[in-house]
Amino acid sequence: MISFYDVGKAYRTGTVAVERASFRIGRNEFVFLVGPSGAGKSTVLKLIYMEEFPTAGRVVVGKIASDRVKPRQIPHLRRKLGVVYQDFRLLKDWTAYENVAIALRVTGASRKRLKKRTLASLARVGLVHKSGERAWQLSGGEQQRLAIARAIANEPILVLADEPTGNLDPETSLGIFHLLRDIHLAGTAVLVATHDAEMVKRFAGRVIRIDGGKLSEDI
Amino acid sequence: MGDIGFSLREAFVGMRRSGLTALAAVVVMSLSFLMLGLFMLLTVNLRHAVHLAQARVEIAAYVEENVAPDRVMAMADSLRQIPGIRSVEWISKEDALERFTEELGDDAALLESLEANPLPASFEIAIYDDYKTEGRVSSLAEQIRSVDGVEDVDSGLTWVAQLNRGIAVVAVLDLGFGLIVVFATVVSVGSAIKLALLSRRETIQVLKLVGATKGFIRTPFLIEGVIQGAAAAGIAALLLWGSYRFAVSFLPDFRFLSHFSLVLFVVLGTALGGIGAMVSLRGLLKEKAWG
Ligand SMILES: Nc1ncnc2c1ncn2[C@@H]1O[C@H](COP(=O)(O)OP(=O)(O)OP(=O)(O)O)[C@@H](O)[C@H]1O
Ligand SMILES: [Mg+2]
């Protein structure tokens, strides 16, 4: 479903964030992308949802290839992915409900589906009772879960989670990982970028390591 | 797109956020629309005046002194043969004097000192409306002049020609004002939309990330531009009506724009608002890779 072919990414500043990276992630896999801060994890995810483009090699997501994608295809690619951003990217003065609903609104979903999927996603992350609250009124852990709710609202084939436990206490972090694991068990591929090696150990699964932009895989 | 409720809500949020700029845009646009409207009003009334003047155009053919009555009949016949002439009326020297006396009213006493009637006899010639253009009237005048016994021809057309020239100048001014209005509108809507875009940068970013198309993102801003254009055109139309009421109080024949022009005026203003928004969106949403 996702293939990296000798992908390199050098930012305009000269920083090489990813070097000769090749890997595949199939349907319904659960994969950790582990590495220290600045290793290039977020860059790998950005290459997948095509906010950044490789400066060498190519990235293929589903039927879309980074070297041949047309700008107007990108929205449709993003609707098939659910992304949980490192900095959440929630709209602070929108309600929790609206923050989730927007992912369906942009697809032109019917009212019924919009309501059903928004509430189901909020329920999935245990936030239905906070539907009417503004995002800025939620705690860090709640915002994280809200970001996940938005990511799964449109029933994506792949969820990308960038440091989903960044600033959370260990207990809350564990809850988030369980949530992602459940999403995976319900039939969605999940790629989690994290530097939380402890947590990774507790969840046996495929691990891709990245350091200084270079990938390696545990066998 | 398709989600009109959402787009409308976002358009109003945008206008509230960019508050003063949105208001300033509407004010600038109203004023420039009003300027254009006033010129349109002037044009309409000038055209009307010319039209009325043209309807009254008649040609006077002055006749030599002392023509015999039977020659008068023959002259009238040959005048009637000229294509374009609708009717011919004989005004004898006496008729002319009578009319002149009537026109003078109280001052008619002045005429009593005259020994002989100084006024010439003439034919008053009415012509068909299609012949009331500058070129056709002067060619008619030539033909009339060549009729035997006609001494002089007065086509009364020179001032119609002048009015027509005036209209041509006003039309050019209209066009010039039109261009200025287009420019002012596009610039002021553009700057309001730019501010609205900036104030909602974060929202736009999120919309892009969750897979919104350009159209979806653009729609609220387009609606905003259209609303501003429509509001400005509406305000300008009201002010224009006020100016018309004012003018009519001392120029009773003053006319207002036709319903059609008025509708066109408002539609055009609305469209210009949308175009202004589109122009500023084209540049601002053209970020690399839509990311
Ligand atoms: N937009 C950018 N322009 C220039 N350099 C960038 C940009 N984004 C990231 N980098 C650089 O690329 C390298 C990799 O960054 P990246 O964000 O992918 O790391 P990361 O593994 O996600 O780190 P963290 O765990 O701290 O989030 C870093 O050296 C960073 O400074
Ligand atoms: Mg990162």
Side-chain angles (χ1 to χ4, degrees):
Chain A
M1 185 168 43
I2 297 176
S3 309
F4 273 48
Y5 298 100
D6 268 335
V7 173
K9 173 66 187 178
Y11 283 106
R12 254 173 291 179
T13 53
T15 310
V16 177
V18 177
E19 246 184 296
R20 296 190 64 90
S22 294
F23 66 87
R24 270 168 192 279
I25 294 176
R27 269 178 199 286
N28 214 2
E29 275 199 87
F30 190 105
V31 182
F32 283 113
L33 178 63
V34 190
S37 181
K41 303 183 294 295
S42 295
T43 304
V44 168
L45 299 194
K46 284 176 185 167
L47 289 167
I48 296 172
Y49 62 81
M50 299 198 180
E51 183 167 308
E52 295 290 349
F53 288 87
T55 44
R58 65 189 203 131
V59 175
V60 180
V61 181
K63 290 194 180 90
I64 298 181
S66 61
D67 52 352
R68 261 188 298 182
V69 63
K70 295 189 187 79
R72 55 138 74 124
Q73 292 178 305
I74 291 178
H76 300 281
L77 165 75
R78 291 187 183 160
R79 291 176 194 179
K80 292 205 192 78
L81 307 177
V83 186
V84 182
Y85 301 93
Q86 191 164 6
D87 51 358
F88 305 160
R89 308 269 183 107
L90 295 170
L91 290 167
K92 297 275 185 296
D93 46 3
W94 286 22
T95 61
Y97 183 92
E98 271 307 320
N99 266 288
V100 176
I102 191 62
L104 294 146
R105 251 184 235 297
V106 299
T107 66
S110 70
R111 268 177 197 227
K112 270 201 183 129
R113 177 172 153 78
L114 185 139
K115 195 162 184 182
K116 189 174 141 239
R117 283 304 309 158
T118 302
L119 289 174
S121 310
L122 284 166
R124 196 91 178 75
V125 301
L127 279 181
V128 183
H129 61 297
K130 302 266 180 175
S131 296
E133 297 203 21
R134 314 260 159 197
W136 61 266
Q137 292 169 315
L138 302 178
S139 73
E142 284 168 341
Q143 291 187 23
Q144 186 63 264
R145 282 186 281 149
L146 183 56
I148 294 173
R150 185 181 63 194
I152 60 175
N154 206 23
E155 300 177 293
I157 49 171
L158 167 68
V159 168
L160 303 171
D162 197 352
E163 214 71 71
T165 58
N167 304 311
L168 304 179
D169 60 69
E171 206 163 316
T172 317
S173 301
L174 194 60
I176 296 287
F177 275 111
H178 276 298
L179 184 55
L180 291 169
R181 170 56 39 112
D182 289 347
I183 289 167
H184 169 240
L185 290 176
T188 309
V190 177
L191 174 60
V192 186
T194 182
H195 53 225
D196 197 340
E198 270 312 300
M199 212 51 87
V200 173
K201 263 185 222 158
R202 299 178 66 147
F203 288 82
R206 185 176 166 196
V207 177
I208 297 174
R209 295 190 184 281
I210 183 167
D211 202 349
K214 294 196 181 69
L215 296 188
S216 59
E217 190 152 350
D218 298 3
I219 310 203
Chain B
M1 275 173 281
D3 199 332
I4 286 303
F6 175 80
S7 300
L8 269 174
R9 226 177 325 136
E10 281 294 295
F12 280 103
V13 168
M15 280 189 275
R16 220 178 42 222
R17 290 247 182 105
S18 50
L20 272 181
T21 327
L23 194 70
V26 172
V27 170
V28 170
M29 282 158 64
S30 311
L31 289 180
S32 45
F33 288 160
L34 179 63
M35 290 275 256
L36 181 69
L38 287 174
F39 264 78
M40 278 167 71
L41 209 53
L42 190 62
T43 315
V44 163
N45 280 284
L46 266 174
R47 272 188 209 289
H48 184 57
V50 169
H51 186 73
L52 288 182
Q54 269 177 340
R56 284 198 297 259
V57 164
E58 276 191 343
I59 300 177
Y62 297 106
V63 175
E64 291 163 2
E65 285 290 318
N66 308 319
V67 280
D70 58 328
R71 266 194 75 202
V72 169
M73 297 300 284
M75 282 173 77
D77 279 343
S78 38
L79 284 171
R80 284 196 192 91
Q81 309 278 306
I82 301 175
I85 288 180
R86 197 174 61 188
S87 65
V88 170
E89 194 188 348
W90 169 247
I91 308 290
S92 68
K93 285 176 76 76
E94 292 71 32
D95 295 337
L97 185 63
E98 203 173 303
R99 275 197 196 178
F100 194 46
T101 313
E102 262 169 40
E103 273 170 35
L104 286 178
D106 292 345
D107 299 328
L110 293 172
L111 295 175
E112 280 165 20
S113 61
L114 294 173
E115 283 170 15
N117 180 357
L119 297 173
S122 63
F123 289 103
E124 264 180 21
I125 301 166
I127 57 182
Y128 288 108
D129 282 348
D130 334 352
Y131 282 80
K132 286 175 182 169
T133 63
E134 213 181 331
R136 287 183 145 182
V137 169
S138 48
S139 105
L140 269 179
E142 279 315 305
Q143 293 176 64
I144 292 166
R145 202 186 302 278
S146 65
V147 170
D148 200 32
V150 172
E151 192 173 81
D152 195 11
V153 175
D154 180 1
S155 65
L157 200 71
T158 42
W159 67 279
V160 171
Q162 267 164 7
L163 266 182
N164 264 324
R165 237 163 276 142
I167 283 184
V169 171
V170 172
V172 169
L173 282 179
D174 275 350
L175 195 71
F177 264 91
L179 288 176
I180 291 172
V181 165
V182 166
F183 187 72
T185 308
V186 168
V187 167
S188 52
V189 172
S191 63
I193 297 296
K194 236 173 257 180
L195 212 76
L197 273 168
L198 282 179
S199 78
R200 273 183 294 166
R201 246 192 143 58
E202 224 189 334
T203 310
I204 293 174
Q205 198 58 39
V206 168
L207 288 175
K208 286 179 180 177
L209 288 173
V210 296
T213 56
K214 272 191 195 195
F216 186 95
I217 294 175
R218 224 184 251 149
T219 308
F221 297 102
L222 276 184
I223 291 176
E224 187 178 330
V226 164
I227 288 175
Q228 288 174 349
I235 292 170
L238 283 177
L239 291 175
L240 202 58
W241 174 254
S243 324
Y244 158 73
R245 297 299 307 171
F246 178 68
V248 120
S249 66
F250 50 89
L251 285 173
D253 281 341
F254 209 70
R255 312 183 112 204
F256 197 52
L257 301 180
S258 66
H259 289 325
F260 175 75
S261 320
L262 203 61
V263 168
L264 197 73
F265 184 77
V266 174
V267 166
L268 223 72
T270 308
L272 273 176
I275 291 168
M278 211 123 72
V279 167
S280 80
L281 284 169
R282 256 171 54 99
L284 287 162
L285 288 181
K286 205 191 282 164
E287 279 165 41
K288 101 177 155 140
W290 195 226

